[in-house]
Amino acid sequence: MQGARVAEMLRIPDVDPMDARALLRATLGVSDAFLVAHPGQALTGAQRERYLAWIERRRAGEPVAYLTGEREFHSLAFKVTPAVLIPRPETEILVEAALERIPAQAPFRVLDLATGSGCVAVAIALHRPGARVTAADLSGDALAIARDNATRHRAAIEFIESDWFTALSGRRFHLVVCNPPYVAERDPHLAEGDLRFEPRRALVGGADGLYCIRLITDQARAYLEPGGSLLFEHGHDQGERCRALLVQGGYRNVAAHRDLAGIERIAGGMV
Ligand SMILES: C[S@@+](CC[C@H](N)C(=O)[O-])C[C@H]1O[C@@H](n2cnc3c(N)ncnc32)[C@H](O)[C@@H]1O
């Protein structure tokens, strides 16, 4: 492949053409429009080497986002490493549901529990600059990435290392948002695709996937202002059980937010 050009570099056997495009864009630091407009552009030797090394790792299953170190979420670019979950499109529903509840101006305290890359906290902070956003995670490595993302987007966020609410004693928030680990520990999907490479701690929520959600619905009340809300993401088949947990926990106005296919992905309630 001496003197390889863009068009040839995109015809790679055994690799999804969308993945090849993403890897080539990141190698060259160009847009998709550039790749379309310049099929004859030659890669330098170093670019070719880097791209083909990524292609090999992609063939072995590594997620594109971990190779390029970046993933777009809510129209913002986020740094990602294997220390954090790769932000998912469905989590944008959590952000939208949160923004509906946060006034544009009034003083408002928001907690993003289990912040990972910080994508939820950063998106909220940028859309509601009047809100005071706190982001917590058990993983110090994840918090380092979240801090980098907040700095990159100039989002004012307080970061706290905490095992769920333990480091937040005495604090009260108007809104707690969370995308917790909610995959059941024997779910066969854990052995497939990107999930094989993501931190287990970010994915697995006990035997039935609901361990963290039970803990959060149980404990969040004590950290919410009167009239405050809890909102969290859950698995595609967990909606009914999550709403039931909120009702059992004494939350009012229990509601679900659905994805474009009409599937419940976010549950919430007020205290
Ligand atoms: C599903 S990821 C969500 C990351 C990010 N909020 C997102 O939506 O992309 C779950 C996060 O929960 C964190 N986590 C797991 N156990 C925790 C605990 N006991 N206390 C706090 N955070 C925890 C993991 O480190 C991981 O970052």
Side-chain angles (χ1 to χ4, degrees), residues 73-74 76 78 95 99 118-128 157:
F73 177 83
H74 218 262
L76 298 163
F78 284 90
V95 172
L99 294 177
C119 58
V120 172
V122 169
I124 290 174
L126 292 183
H127 281 86
R128 293 290 183 273
I157 295 172

Side-chain angles (χ1 to χ4, degrees), residues 13-35:
D14 308 327
V15 174
D16 181 327
M18 298 289 285
D19 293 350
R21 292 193 90 80
L23 294 174
L24 192 54
R25 276 199 309 271
T27 303
L28 302 180
V30 300
S31 66
D32 215 36
F34 182 96
L35 295 184

Side-chain angles (χ1 to χ4, degrees), residues 193-257:
D194 288 1
L195 272 63
R196 291 168 295 167
F197 294 84
E198 292 180 292
R200 211 177 146 80
R201 183 156 74 184
L203 296 169
V204 176
D208 65 353
L210 292 174
Y211 173 81
C212 307
I213 289 176
R214 276 191 207 95
L215 184 147
I216 293 158
T217 52
D218 240 30
Q219 297 189 3
R221 305 185 56 88
Y223 299 86
L224 284 167
E225 292 283 4
S229 299
L230 167 66
L231 274 176
F232 60 88
E233 183 174 322
H234 55 70
H236 66 93
D237 56 354
Q238 295 171 337
E240 199 177 332
R241 283 176 289 164
C242 287
R243 282 186 286 105
L245 284 172
L246 285 163
V247 171
Q248 278 161 31
Y251 290 82
R252 298 180 289 124
N253 297 355
V254 170
H257 296 258

Side-chain angles (χ1 to χ4, degrees), residues 78-96:
F78 284 90
K79 173 178 172 179
V80 292
T81 71
V84 298
L85 186 93
I86 299 166
R88 306 287 204 274
E90 54 268 29
T91 307
E92 295 185 0
I93 310 168
L94 179 63
V95 172
E96 292 307 324

Side-chain angles (χ1 to χ4, degrees), residues 181-200:
Y182 54 70
V183 182
E185 64 194 8
R186 295 194 173 193
D187 189 320
H189 292 104
L190 290 167
E192 292 170 14
D194 288 1
L195 272 63
R196 291 168 295 167
F197 294 84
E198 292 180 292
R200 211 177 146 80

